[in-house]
Amino acid sequence: MRNIVIILSILLSGCNPLAKNEKENFKDIALKNLTYSHMDGMSGDIFKFNLETNDDLKNIYQNGNYEYTHFKCDNIKNYFVTGAISVEGEKLKNGKYTSSGYFKVCEDESMNVCIDKNQLEKLLTSNMSCRVVFGGLLQSSKIMVDNILISKESIRKSNFQ
C-alpha cells in the first residue's frame, strides 16, 4: 500500500502545474511606451505597452507548443492585475524583439469592476512586480520573464490613447 501511495504521489506531481513551474532567466527586459485607454461599456482603463527583449519569445512560444501568454503582476491592495503579451505579433528591430501587451487592474478575476489610471496611481505604494507566463491546457505553466517592474511614476506619465 505504501508503494502505491509513493507511485501515485510521483504521478500526480507530474500533473501539478505548480510542480513544474520553471523559470527562464532572460536579461535586458524593458517595458516601453506605457499608455492607457478606456473602452465604452468596460469598467476601468486598459494599460498597453511594448515588451522589449534580446530573446525571441515568439520562437520559444511556438517551439514549446504553448497555447496562451499571461502578463501577471503582484496584487495591489486586494486588486487582481492581469493581461497578456502578443508574441505572435513580435517584431525584430535593431537586434531587439518587441511584443505588445496589455493589463487591467480589477477587483477580481471576473474583471467586471476595474479601476482607472488615477485610482491605480493612488493605490500604488511601490513598484508593481510583473511576469510573463506561457502555458497550455495540458501542460505546465512556465514563467518566461520575471521581475518586470512598473513604477508609480511610469503609470503617472503614461499617455492616453
Side-chain angles (χ1 to χ4, degrees):
M1 180 67 171
R2 184 174 173 214
N3 290 340
I4 292 173
V5 171
I6 292 171
I7 292 170
L8 188 58
S9 310
I10 292 169
L11 290 173
L12 289 175
S13 71
C15 297
N16 181 353
L18 297 178
K20 288 188 172 184
N21 195 358
E22 304 168 34
K23 286 185 182 180
E24 291 288 338
N25 291 321
F26 293 123
K27 304 270 188 259
D28 300 320
I29 306 297
L31 192 123
K32 297 191 171 196
N33 304 325
L34 184 63
T35 62
Y36 70 99
S37 61
H38 188 84
M39 294 179 65
D40 289 338
M42 288 188 71
S43 173
D45 290 336
I46 299 170
F47 295 87
K48 298 175 186 172
F49 58 87
N50 288 328
L51 185 70
E52 189 176 88
T53 178
N54 291 331
D55 300 290
D56 186 352
L57 294 178
K58 179 180 177 180
N59 187 44
I60 295 166
Y61 181 83
Q62 290 173 339
N63 288 341
N65 293 315
Y66 292 105
E67 297 169 359
Y68 63 78
T69 64
H70 289 299
F71 185 78
K72 299 231 176 222
C73 301
D74 294 339
N75 289 345
I76 304 165
K77 292 187 181 182
N78 302 321
Y79 282 85
F80 183 75
V81 183
T82 190
I85 302 291
S86 174
V87 292
E88 294 293 331
E90 180 180 77
K91 293 183 171 72
L92 176 62
K93 186 175 180 182
N94 298 328
K96 299 274 188 183
Y97 295 92
T98 303
S99 300
S100 61
Y102 76 91
F103 68 90
K104 284 186 69 94
V105 181
C106 304
E107 285 186 358
D108 57 31
E109 292 183 43
S110 69
M111 299 177 79
N112 290 328
V113 179
C114 301
I115 62 176
D116 62 27
K117 175 189 172 191
N118 293 332
Q119 292 169 307
L120 179 56
E121 280 182 62
K122 290 174 187 171
L123 283 175
L124 275 181
T125 56
S126 61
N127 293 339
M128 288 191 317
S129 180
C130 304
R131 61 205 158 282
V132 175
V133 179
F134 286 1
L137 187 60
L138 299 174
Q139 68 189 107
S140 301
S141 61
K142 186 172 186 177
I143 298 172
M144 301 308 294
V145 181
D146 199 6
N147 230 5
I148 302 167
L149 299 179
I150 302 175
S151 68
K152 183 175 185 171
E153 185 67 12
S154 67
I155 296 292
R156 188 184 69 74
K157 288 182 176 181
S158 64
N159 295 319
F160 182 78
Q161 280 199 324

